[in-house]
Structures are given as structure tokens and as C-alpha cells.
Amino acid sequence: MEDKIFKYVALFFFVLSLILTTALIYVTMPDKDLKEIEKEAKDFAFYYTNYDYNRAQEYYDNMIYLTTGKLQQEFKQENNSKNIELMKNMEVQSSSNINDIIFTKINGTTAKAVAFMTITTKSKDSEVRETKTILYMKLNKVNSEWKVSSLEPY
């Protein structure tokens, strides 16, 4: 009788240790989505705020690739060929630095990010201008990739 009790107690503690070990590994394992959310938010912020009149179409195409839904449709519907041509004629160049970025995963398919940025802009007929801006981004997971679905620049 004592052998059966010992076997059951031993089996109970073995199963319990497996459950606790699995839970510990799961809790301490970093969420890989967070790295992807940070990367996508940074990449989008870069292409949204950096311009190089020599590579305007490439920057625009990359920005479009990093978006989804209504935001992507809005960017596609704008008259970007005129904007790109205007940037080329004015020789607009802009660079940005992300001073800080805060991001969080809301659930398995939604995240938010806020980028605090400094943007430096120059064209052939103007002096260098520096502005600070904040980009509020909502991201959605689409086919296992995080994409920016809404944007509020301030």
C-alpha cells in the first residue's frame, strides 16, 4: 500500500515539476513579436520621415510595404507621382533620428508604438530646418507580419 502511495506522490510531483518548468520557461521567454513590432515601427518611421529626392520612389515603395488596410489605401490614393516629382525638382532631402520609441503588444494581432523623432530637412532653396515630431502608430499582424495600420503624426 505504501509503495502505491509513494508512486502516486512521486508521479504527482513529477507532473507538477513539468508543469512548473514549462510555465517558468514560457514566462521568462521573451516575446518575439516585441522585437518585430519595434523593428516594423522603426522602419516605418524611417521611411515616413526620411526623403532623398534621388531615391524618392524607393522610399515611398518601402513605406507602402510596411503599411496595411486603410492607411495603405490612403497612401496609394494620394497623388504621389506629383509629390515625388516635386521632391526631385526641389531636391528635398530629409533625415530623422528616433530619439525614443515606446511600443507594446495589445494582443496577438494588435500593437501600438510611439516614436519621438527629430527631423532635419533641406532643399536646394532653403536652409536646414530641424523639427521634433511624435508618431503614434497602431500595428496589426497580417499573415504573420506586423504592419502599420494607422498613423497620427504630431
Side-chain angles (χ1 to χ4, degrees):
M1 179 81 169
E2 288 181 17
D3 281 347
K4 282 188 174 186
I5 293 174
F6 177 74
K7 287 179 185 178
Y8 288 126
V9 169
L11 180 62
F12 170 77
F13 281 109
F14 176 73
V15 170
L16 182 63
S17 67
L18 282 176
I19 292 169
L20 291 175
T21 302
T22 303
L24 182 62
I25 290 171
Y26 180 76
V27 168
T28 59
M29 184 172 42
D31 187 345
K32 74 173 189 146
D33 278 341
L34 290 177
K35 287 284 185 199
E36 293 173 18
I37 291 164
E38 178 183 26
K39 181 186 179 324
E40 294 303 313
K42 281 183 175 180
D43 287 351
F44 176 80
F46 173 84
Y47 287 113
Y48 184 74
T49 58
N50 283 266
Y51 311 104
D52 181 346
Y53 67 95
N54 294 311
R55 298 170 57 193
Q57 187 65 51
E58 176 188 341
Y59 279 40
Y60 172 74
D61 291 343
N62 285 327
M63 185 181 65
I64 291 293
Y65 174 77
L66 295 167
T67 60
T68 189
K70 186 177 177 184
L71 181 63
Q72 188 179 65
Q73 293 305 316
E74 288 173 6
F75 282 139
K76 285 181 177 181
Q77 288 175 6
E78 290 180 10
N79 194 351
N80 286 297
S81 59
K82 280 188 178 180
N83 292 340
I84 289 170
E85 192 60 37
L86 181 63
M87 285 173 50
K88 288 180 180 178
N89 290 339
M90 294 178 62
E91 297 181 7
V92 174
Q93 290 182 310
S94 177
S95 63
S96 67
N97 290 318
I98 296 177
N99 302 322
D100 196 10
I101 188 163
I102 302 168
F103 53 93
T104 185
K105 185 175 168 183
I106 306 299
N107 56 44
T109 59
T110 308
K112 289 187 178 184
V114 180
F116 300 86
M117 307 183 72
T118 303
I119 303 170
T120 306
T121 308
K122 170 88 174 102
S123 69
K124 70 178 178 183
D125 297 328
S126 71
E127 294 183 19
V128 174
R129 186 177 62 173
E130 186 174 284
T131 57
K132 297 202 181 284
T133 191
I134 301 171
L135 300 179
Y136 293 92
M137 297 169 272
K138 180 179 174 190
L139 295 91
N140 287 68
K141 198 168 194 176
V142 179
N143 298 327
S144 75
E145 290 186 305
W146 288 95
K147 304 278 185 174
V148 177
S149 61
S150 70
L151 170 70
E152 294 181 39
Y154 290 97

